[in-house]
Amino acid sequence: MKIDVITLFPGMFTGPLDESIIKRARAEGRLELVIHNLRDYTHDRHKTVDDKPFGGGPGMLLKPEPIFEAVENLARDETKVILLGPIGRPFTQAIARELSEEKHLLFLCGSYEGFDERVREQLVDDELSIGDYVLTNGNLPAMVIIDAVARLLPGVLGDDESSHEESFSNGLLEYPHYTRPAEYRGMKVPEILLSGHHAQIAAWREEQSRRRTQERRPDLLAQQDASQSAQPE
Ligand code: JF5
């Protein structure tokens, strides 16, 4: 997969996406990631990217011209152009799975007060939020989404890192995990996990997942019930 990012702060991306699993995915050619500076698409001496809002009010908006030029320069027919910000639809693991099937993603990272609405009307295919809070710009949200998508690309996770039993893969939170020693500071690993009874272990884990989800994220169970009782259209 190819991912392009258009940002005012390209330096923010070096580091987080240059370590660990994402570093390996890039080195192996499974993910091609290129960061572009929006200022490179300006033509004036001051490399102006923002301006005051029509109608007045506080703050600045990103002006449309550099963004249109950048997107027109980088996007192809198959490109999905994604805007990040608090008014986007909530990003989920299901959206991560869908995005991981795309050939080319282009992330537009806003700053200041955001984008001229014509960018949304003409250039943007989807607008995503990573949660109900406000950040200084869309760079961290872009990195979060790139990380969640890249680890789902074919061959990126090794067998030991498999995403099959992790939280959200079955709509539930993960069950508790233990490793050696079997007793540590008086705290014992649940007997069932040492028993070798694979079917009973699986049943225990499922029960733990349900309990934990009920306790911490009842909204996830409600969603599951809703999707299981939904009538086919
Ligand atoms: C941003 C205008 C972008 O604050 C966010 C954000 C919160 N959840 N998901 C994204 O993005 C930065 C702020 C204001 C555009």
Side-chain angles (χ1 to χ4, degrees):
M1 169 184 280
K2 169 92 187 278
I3 301 181
D4 287 296
V5 178
I6 301 170
T7 173
L8 281 170
F9 306 104
M12 282 184 72
F13 288 82
T14 52
L17 303 175
D18 259 316
E19 300 280 353
S20 178
I21 291 169
I22 307 303
K23 177 185 189 164
R24 191 179 66 206
R26 296 174 75 175
E28 290 174 349
R30 302 184 199 278
L31 169 66
E32 187 190 349
L33 179 65
V34 184
I35 312 299
H36 307 266
N37 192 334
L38 182 61
R39 287 193 198 279
D40 293 343
Y41 294 89
T42 59
H43 300 290
D44 64 311
R45 272 201 312 129
H46 298 105
K47 300 188 190 287
T48 311
V49 292
D50 60 350
D51 205 343
K52 297 173 302 210
F54 278 122
M60 300 285 270
L61 290 175
L62 291 173
K63 32 191 297 97
E65 304 95 311
I67 297 174
F68 271 76
E69 286 200 32
V71 172
E72 281 163 2
N73 196 62
L74 296 169
R76 315 186 286 255
D77 283 345
E78 66 211 19
T79 306
K80 187 147 194 181
V81 179
I82 300 173
L83 201 63
L84 294 320
I87 72 166
R89 65 184 181 122
F91 181 64
T92 61
Q93 189 65 23
I95 297 174
R97 283 192 280 265
E98 286 168 18
L99 294 181
S100 72
E101 318 253 302
E102 298 285 338
K103 285 201 180 73
H104 185 205
L105 302 179
L106 174 52
F107 288 97
L108 273 177
C109 303
S111 301
Y112 307 99
E113 298 305 297
F115 295 88
D116 183 290
E117 192 61 23
R118 290 165 293 190
V119 168
R120 289 191 178 83
E121 287 167 10
Q122 281 267 329
L123 299 178
V124 171
D125 297 307
D126 203 354
E127 182 160 3
L128 297 174
S129 161
I130 62 160
D132 293 339
Y133 37 77
V134 181
L135 303 168
T136 53
N137 58 56
N139 293 285
L140 287 168
M143 286 185 253
V144 165
I145 293 170
I146 291 166
D147 186 279
V149 169
R151 63 191 289 286
L152 299 179
L153 297 175
V156 167
L157 292 188
D159 289 343
D160 287 352
E161 302 154 339
S162 158
S163 61
H164 284 119
E165 281 203 19
E166 68 195 8
S167 295
F168 308 116
S169 62
N170 60 357
L172 298 174
L173 300 183
E174 269 193 69
Y175 50 80
H177 303 275
Y178 298 88
T179 185
R180 287 183 289 189
E183 181 174 346
Y184 182 64
R185 298 192 176 183
M187 297 176 285
K188 292 196 167 102
V189 172
E191 199 66 47
I192 184 77
L193 297 178
L194 313 176
S195 70
H197 295 129
H198 298 296
Q200 286 180 41
I201 291 171
W204 180 86
R205 286 176 167 168
E206 184 168 334
E207 167 60 14
Q208 292 292 317
S209 272
R210 277 186 199 292
R211 257 195 223 183
R212 206 174 232 195
T213 309
Q214 177 63 252
E215 183 66 28
R216 300 185 184 194
R217 294 292 307 278
D219 59 305
L220 293 179
L221 288 177
Q223 275 176 40
Q224 250 194 353
D225 296 345
S227 72
Q228 272 163 22
S229 63
Q231 303 294 319
E233 288 181 51

